[in-house]
Amino acid sequence: MAALPYKQSKQSKKGQVEEMFDNISHRYDFLNHVLSLNIDKIWRRKTINKLRPYQPENILDIATGTGDFAVAALKLGDVKVTGIDISEGMLNVGREKIRAKKLEDKISFQKADSENLPFGNGTFDAAIVGFGVRNFENLEKGLSEIKRVLKPGGVFFVLEFSKPVSFPFKQIYMFYFMRILPLIGRMVSKDSRAYTYLPESVNEFPDGDRFLTILADVGFVQNECYRQTFGIASIYMAHKPNN
């Protein structure tokens, strides 16, 4: 069975993911940073540093959530970031965050579906997505939409969880990921499924070379994968062809 937040629900995966993030939005940032020991901030910073040489001016942040990746992208300098997400609850937390930081002139948020982006062809110089592609209902459709809204030659960066392969780190990590993390997440978020769905969705996601193949299949070129922290996460880089 495909990884779903609420297996008994009759909603689509997209609807269930929206409901899940609405449910946990009030505790998401706290849990995200605590459960990752703040390593997620390092991964975002590394991804943005890889984007820096492309000097983008207009960036799309897909599955922006509460906007951490969008805020990190401002380190690039004079850029505008558009963040989209299907969860209004997460976006509301993000809006409060950018208001507090006085970044409304740099970052804008809107509710939108990554598989049906409300933007014209070739709108953005670059696109980023952090820990979101594994939640797509139709992965290929979502990736194709992202490629469509990129300008020719535009760059796409994905930061996503992956599966460690080396002994003994793989065994230690999987015990934490499958047993400890869901328990803490359940107690703090009060959602019994959200942090069980997380390891299930990571386990199901076609990471590494398989994801690079999918990127190539939908038309991205010069695709590369950079493993992070013993393979806990991976940074993927892909490009839209110039013609």
Side-chain angles (χ1 to χ4, degrees):
M1 179 182 289
L4 295 169
Y6 309 111
K7 288 184 169 32
Q8 305 305 315
S9 174
K10 294 182 179 180
Q11 290 188 94
S12 65
K13 177 176 180 178
K14 194 176 299 180
Q16 292 185 41
V17 167
E18 179 180 358
E19 179 184 351
M20 178 189 72
F21 281 114
D22 282 345
N23 288 343
I24 66 174
S25 59
H26 64 296
R27 301 298 285 165
Y28 178 80
D29 279 345
F30 171 77
L31 276 167
N32 197 33
H33 300 319
V34 168
L35 292 175
S36 72
L37 305 178
N38 277 325
I39 298 173
D40 62 304
K41 295 180 180 179
I42 297 173
W43 296 333
R44 287 188 185 88
R45 186 164 63 245
K46 285 185 175 182
T47 306
I48 296 304
N49 284 338
K50 289 183 179 296
L51 176 56
R52 188 179 300 279
Y54 295 91
Q55 299 181 308
E57 297 178 357
N58 195 10
I59 301 171
L60 176 63
D61 181 20
I62 304 102
T64 189
T66 64
D68 278 350
F69 221 176
V71 172
L74 298 185
K75 296 291 185 182
L76 295 173
D78 188 18
V79 298
K80 291 290 183 74
V81 184
T82 301
I84 66 106
D85 203 283
I86 60 172
S87 167
E88 194 66 49
M90 296 286 276
L91 290 171
N92 285 335
V93 174
R95 291 181 183 112
E96 291 179 9
K97 185 182 297 182
I98 66 167
R99 275 196 296 270
K101 294 178 178 289
K102 303 186 185 309
L103 297 174
E104 297 98 323
D105 60 328
K106 297 288 188 179
I107 299 172
S108 62
F109 292 132
Q110 67 183 90
K111 183 173 181 178
D113 178 3
S114 58
E115 296 168 31
N116 295 282
L117 293 171
F119 309 109
N121 296 349
T123 301
F124 297 96
D125 303 311
I128 56 177
V129 53
F131 310 111
V133 292
R134 72 179 190 285
N135 296 321
F136 287 5
E137 188 167 72
N138 185 318
L139 179 58
E140 288 81 1
K141 184 177 180 183
L143 295 175
S144 295
E145 271 289 273
I146 294 165
K147 181 168 71 73
R148 179 184 67 78
V149 302
L150 281 173
K151 294 177 181 178
V155 65
F156 175 38
F157 279 94
V158 175
L159 172 60
E160 188 54 89
F161 288 115
S162 50
K163 298 178 281 291
V165 296
S166 299
F167 177 86
F169 189 78
K170 173 184 177 181
Q171 286 71 21
I172 296 170
Y173 174 74
M174 291 308 294
F175 177 78
Y176 170 76
F177 207 50
M178 300 297 291
R179 300 296 181 88
I180 306 301
L181 182 147
L183 179 62
I184 299 172
R186 186 162 55 247
M187 289 189 298
V188 177
S189 73
K190 308 303 182 185
D191 188 304
S192 62
R193 277 292 305 164
Y195 286 86
T196 301
Y197 164 74
L198 171 58
E200 290 175 355
S201 64
V202 171
N203 192 53
E204 182 183 80
F205 182 70
D207 63 333
D209 288 343
R210 290 194 296 161
F211 187 59
L212 291 177
T213 297
I214 294 170
L215 287 167
D217 287 345
V218 301
F220 284 102
V221 297
Q222 298 173 274
N223 308 318
E224 297 183 37
C225 173
Y226 307 93
R227 293 275 185 175
Q228 304 295 309
T229 318
F230 304 102
I232 294 176
S234 293
I235 298 170
Y236 300 91
M237 179 176 66
H239 300 77
K240 180 174 179 174
N242 279 306
N243 48 36

